[in-house]
Amino acid sequence: MSDERLMSWRPRLTVRLRLTLSYAGLLVIAGAVVSCIIWLVFRIVPNYPLNGANPRDRRVLPPSRGDILHLVVTLSGWALGFLAIAGLVGGWFLAGRMLKPLQEITAAARKAASGSLDHRIGLTGIRDEFTDLSDTFDEMLGRLQRSFEQYRRFAANASHELRTPHAVMKTMLEVAAADPDHQDVPELVKRLAETNQRGIDIVEALLSLTALNNRSVELDPLDLAAVVRSALPALSSEARAAEVELTCDLAESVVEGNEVLLHQVVVNLVQNGIRHGGGSVAITVAPGRLVVRNTGSVLHPARIRTFTEPFAKARYGAGHGLGLALVDRIVETHHGSLDLAPIPGGGLTVTVVLPTADLVG
């Protein structure tokens, strides 16, 4: 017979059964100890002749020590049998009540394993280890559900965003092939290059997100204001081309960071304000803080909360929607925080808070 079949034939010793046997065993052992003590007490009693209550009454013979010991043993046997039955019945009932929350947690785990993440246990009653485990499991299910929903949206949006440039280029090439004599070749090449560059930007942003998820980042003390100054020439040129006013207020701010990644944060945030905002962008650096404000249309807070999701802004026709997602991931690797808030008159305020440090040298 194979080992697999032997394993399948083994009885399943459940926790409830083991607890029941443990309760019953403890009762029997306790009863046996008490019985042994009583037996020993009578065992050491001297074997003197016992007299009845009325010495003149010869009809009733007093019990001997042997008779008393025999009675103790008999009654102890019946008592141990009763304790064993009571322990099994009572232990089975008590173990069932104590393990009921665990059964609910197990049922929820089975549902989660089958792909259903919307079920919650929600144990109530006295706070104990089971309620703590239930709350932790519910919290884990909530995070998993949010993560899976985000990944599903990411996969769907990524597929759409990556397919769109190729579909546009295919259409332009098909039109050109159908009527090659009436094509403006320089304009066609320009449009193909722009569409191809959009696909490249999406792929590079996706690769950057993946790289940040799969590696640790070395952080060193650096001046955040110096990082902004290094990015200003290119950003100022883009702002002038877009007729956007770019202003700066830079104070020394020494933080723990990676210069390349923080440069990417500054570029992405300012470009976001230039390309999708209004007529002005303001950069402010304070100790441990980078703030980028841009004017623009009035934004609803519920919409802003989705901007850090990959491709979220693409749903509103604002780029491919990976810039703020990349910024959020970089800030997370720096153990900082990212806050997006609407400006009442229109526009967006992005605040990055980073751990401060002492600049060496």
Side-chain angles (χ1 to χ4, degrees):
M1 186 179 292
S2 63
D3 293 340
E4 292 78 4
R5 295 182 62 183
L6 285 174
M7 289 289 293
S8 64
W9 283 5
R10 291 179 182 177
R12 185 168 181 261
L13 195 61
T14 63
V15 175
R16 185 177 185 182
L17 181 57
R18 281 184 285 172
L19 287 175
T20 300
L21 295 176
S22 299
Y23 295 151
L26 286 175
L27 283 177
V28 171
I29 292 173
V33 170
V34 173
S35 299
C36 289
I37 293 174
I38 296 174
W39 184 82
L40 288 174
V41 169
F42 280 99
R43 189 76 175 82
I44 64 175
V45 172
N47 193 16
Y48 295 134
L50 299 176
N51 296 323
N54 185 4
R56 297 179 180 180
D57 189 359
R58 303 293 183 180
R59 294 173 297 176
V60 179
L61 295 177
S64 64
R65 188 182 68 173
D67 295 333
I68 295 175
L69 290 176
H70 177 72
L71 181 62
V72 168
V73 172
T74 302
L75 293 179
S76 297
W78 284 103
L80 290 178
F82 172 78
L83 289 176
I85 296 174
L88 290 173
V89 176
W92 183 262
F93 174 74
L94 291 176
R97 292 200 59 181
M98 293 296 296
L99 295 175
K100 184 178 179 181
L102 186 59
Q103 294 173 352
E104 296 182 17
I105 296 174
T106 302
R110 288 198 181 100
K111 290 184 179 179
S114 65
S116 176
L117 299 177
D118 56 352
H119 177 72
R120 299 293 182 270
I121 303 170
L123 284 183
T124 58
I126 301 175
R127 300 296 305 178
D128 56 14
E129 290 82 354
F130 285 125
T131 53
D132 292 341
L133 178 61
S134 170
D135 293 343
T136 304
F137 192 80
D138 286 345
E139 183 180 354
M140 180 192 70
L141 286 179
R143 290 199 302 268
L144 285 175
Q145 185 178 17
R146 290 190 295 270
S147 297
F148 280 126
E149 290 175 352
Q150 182 176 349
Y151 282 131
R152 280 195 291 265
R153 290 195 300 269
F154 174 83
N157 292 328
S159 300
H160 173 74
E161 288 295 315
L162 290 173
R163 184 171 59 246
T164 299
H166 293 84
V168 172
M169 287 188 291
K170 179 182 178 182
T171 300
M172 287 190 291
L173 290 174
E174 288 177 348
V175 171
D179 188 11
D181 297 333
H182 297 83
Q183 294 297 320
D184 187 348
V185 176
E187 179 64 22
L188 176 62
V189 171
K190 178 183 176 182
R191 291 173 59 190
L192 286 173
E194 292 174 349
T195 306
N196 184 64
Q197 185 61 44
R198 174 179 171 81
I200 293 174
D201 292 341
I202 294 174
V203 172
E204 288 181 347
L206 288 173
L207 291 176
S208 299
L209 282 174
T210 304
L212 285 173
N213 289 330
N214 294 329
R215 69 180 177 92
S216 58
V217 177
E218 184 177 352
L219 305 180
D220 299 306
L222 54 87
D223 186 4
L224 186 57
V227 176
V228 175
R229 291 190 188 97
S230 67
L232 276 179
L235 294 174
S236 298
S237 298
E238 183 172 346
R240 285 193 298 270
E243 299 182 351
V244 173
E245 181 184 3
L246 181 63
T247 59
C248 298
D249 181 10
L250 307 180
E252 184 181 30
S253 175
V254 181
V255 298
E256 289 281 350
N258 180 283
E259 184 175 358
V260 175
L261 294 179
L262 290 183
H263 183 275
Q264 186 69 41
V265 167
V266 174
V267 170
N268 282 15
L269 291 180
V270 177
Q271 285 182 343
N272 182 76
I274 294 173
R275 298 173 183 178
H276 312 304
S280 65
V281 176
I283 308 172
T284 303
V285 174
R289 188 180 300 267
L290 167 67
V291 181
V292 177
R293 297 182 180 88
N294 64 268
T295 57
S297 59
V298 177
L299 300 172
H300 194 277
R303 174 183 169 185
I304 292 176
R305 284 194 291 270
T306 67
F307 280 0
T308 55
E309 294 184 15
F311 301 106
K313 292 185 68 179
R315 297 197 296 267
Y316 303 103
H320 52 64
L322 287 171
L324 287 178
L326 184 59
V327 169
D328 183 55
R329 188 67 188 95
I330 293 175
V331 172
E332 184 180 346
T333 61
H334 282 73
H335 312 292
S337 62
L338 176 68
D339 179 71
L340 283 69
I343 298 176
L348 182 68
T349 298
V350 182
T351 304
V352 176
V353 178
L354 299 171
T356 57
D358 296 326
L359 189 59
V360 179

